Amino acid sequence: MQTIHDYNFSGKKALIRVDFNVPLNENFEITDDTRIRAALPTIKKVLEGGGSPVIMSHFGRPKSGPEDKFSMRHLIDHLSKLLGVEVKLAPDCIGDEVKKIASELKPGEVLMLENLRFHEGETKGNEEFAKQLAENGDCWINDAFGTAHRAHASTAVIAQFFPNDKMFGYLIESEVKSLDKVVKDPKRPLTAIMGGAKVSSKITIIENLLGKVDNLILGGGMTYTFVKANGGEVGDSICEPDFLETARNIEKLAKEKGVNLIMATDVLAADDFSENANTQTVQASQIPEGWQGLDAGPESIAKFKEVIKNSATILWNGPVGVFEMDKFAAGSKAIGDAIVEATQKGAFSLVGGGDSVACVNKFKLADGMSYISTAGGALLEYLEGRTLPGVAAVRGE
Ligand code: AMP
């Protein structure tokens, strides 16, 4: 397989699929440029190798055809500043005029194609559209992990036009490598911590992980569906009565697979979903009427920490309490601290999924984790055990 590390970019036009779907304010100023910065190493590698990057991305959700508010022109100045090179903007992403501009690029020059989603062929995965995109480059680099779970023209279908000149960019390569350290060949024991609000949104991931992990810590709001499934009292806690059978099946499957399933035995209950609520620590299975469990209790936290500290690989997806309110953040913070400690001792830790990343950032623990994934949907689909079209296309699978 071709890699960005050894590919010769000299004199080549390199089509790079990035994810520049950044948020803008009402004055069309970028409010968070993380995604643009994340693609810089790949773009710079092409420049340093004597090639010409031809950058393509989707941006926003244009309905049908071009819309000025979704034009890539809003991103050009910022990208030029970050790269220290003046980036040219193409009038479209396909067509003769664009092809001519791309073909006349000199080494060191950078071209940004106009928004891919101005053409419906992009999301439809249209082959003819992909072929026209492909005419703008000599090789194709996929560096958009955030859209790798979509079989779109620029993320997957285009690969067939570059049988010997396709590769991952640095960002997607490190995402895949890091995820594989958890999913494919983890050092053991492997512990996954799944939190968040509901069981229903995590079932497929939990089921897939049960075939891989040694320990599974289930926390957060889903605790109460399990408590209820076992005949406990959940008071006013969040609970999904339609998923009691699912919860029982998960417990059964864990037993069959020999997975050590760990859930809260005590919880911090509150008489209101608010920072000003009164709180008390109670048994997870005996939450009084009018009270709701909003964080793990001290006994549970100690148990979680013990398991995490003895793990060699750790995956964290979802907070184990309502961490947004300081009163109910202790459990999630303790998990984060324990992961940092384990990582310092040599464990590999991966945090992913919007809320866990927000949680890690809130407690300023990001530097202590081995890898933080910024991909939402693609990460979750990978953990569910699905093949990602954008990854498979590069690998030729
Ligand atoms: P998710 O998007 O499914 O990962 O859910 C994350 C959200 O779950 C966060 O906003 C937490 O505040 C929330 N959460 C965690 N524990 C609980 C709980 N015990 N009750 C209600 N919400 C919770």
Side-chain angles (χ1 to χ4, degrees), residues 46-244:
V46 173
L47 286 171
E48 283 156 15
S52 319
V54 179
I55 302 168
M56 55 179 178
S57 179
H58 70 292
F59 178 46
R61 289 174 180 267
K63 283 188 201 82
S64 55
E67 272 178 78
D68 184 63
K69 66 173 171 177
F70 297 124
S71 167
M72 289 309 209
R73 77 180 178 86
H74 303 298
L75 314 184
I76 288 282
D77 287 349
H78 192 63
L79 178 62
S80 300
K81 218 176 282 161
L82 290 175
L83 281 175
V85 176
E86 203 175 317
V87 178
K88 298 175 194 232
L89 176 66
D92 199 346
C93 57
I94 53 167
D96 290 343
E97 192 185 347
V98 178
K99 204 165 113 182
K100 183 162 183 290
I101 299 171
S103 70
E104 287 172 355
L105 286 173
K106 295 186 191 70
E109 290 185 338
V110 184
L111 178 67
M112 169 103 88
L113 300 185
E114 191 46 284
N115 194 340
L116 294 163
R117 292 201 186 159
F118 284 171
H119 294 263
E120 60 173 20
E122 167 61 1
T123 49
K124 291 210 159 125
N126 182 287
E127 210 173 298
E128 180 53 34
F129 175 69
K131 184 164 175 267
Q132 291 183 51
L133 280 177
E135 286 169 2
N136 298 318
D138 304 306
C139 61
W140 171 64
I141 306 174
N142 190 4
D143 209 18
F145 190 71
T147 45
H149 57 315
R150 311 274 185 222
H152 291 173
S154 67
T155 61
V157 181
I158 195 171
Q160 63 190 285
F161 303 106
F162 300 101
N164 301 310
D165 301 278
K166 54 182 182 179
M167 65 209 95
F168 291 131
Y170 287 121
L171 176 67
I172 206 165
E173 187 186 68
S174 60
E175 284 273 353
V176 171
K177 262 192 197 153
S178 303
L179 279 167
D180 282 349
K181 280 191 193 171
V182 176
V183 179
K184 290 233 165 95
D185 69 286
K187 279 195 237 145
R188 296 193 178 270
L190 164 61
T191 299
I193 304 129
M194 301 291 299
K198 295 176 170 180
V199 188
S200 52
S201 58
K202 309 250 160 131
I203 303 167
T204 327
I205 301 176
I206 294 175
E207 284 171 353
N208 187 44
L209 287 175
L210 281 174
K212 302 182 191 299
V213 299
D214 302 292
N215 306 300
L216 178 61
I217 297 175
L218 288 184
M222 64 178 122
T223 309
Y224 309 100
T225 302
F226 284 87
V227 168
K228 182 111 183 166
N230 287 308
E233 297 297 333
V234 298
D236 291 353
S237 308
I238 187 170
C239 179
E240 293 175 283
D242 292 346
F243 287 86
L244 301 184

Side-chain angles (χ1 to χ4, degrees), residues 194-199 201-202 219-224 236-239 267-268 273 292-296 317-325 328 332 352-356 380:
M194 301 291 299
K198 295 176 170 180
V199 188
S201 58
K202 309 250 160 131
M222 64 178 122
T223 309
Y224 309 100
D236 291 353
S237 308
I238 187 170
C239 179
V267 300
L268 184 66
F273 189 85
Q292 50 188 309
L294 294 182
D295 196 7
N317 174 271
V320 298
V322 184
F323 76 99
E324 295 92 338
M325 295 189 232
F328 312 110
S332 301
D355 273 318
S356 357
L380 298 183

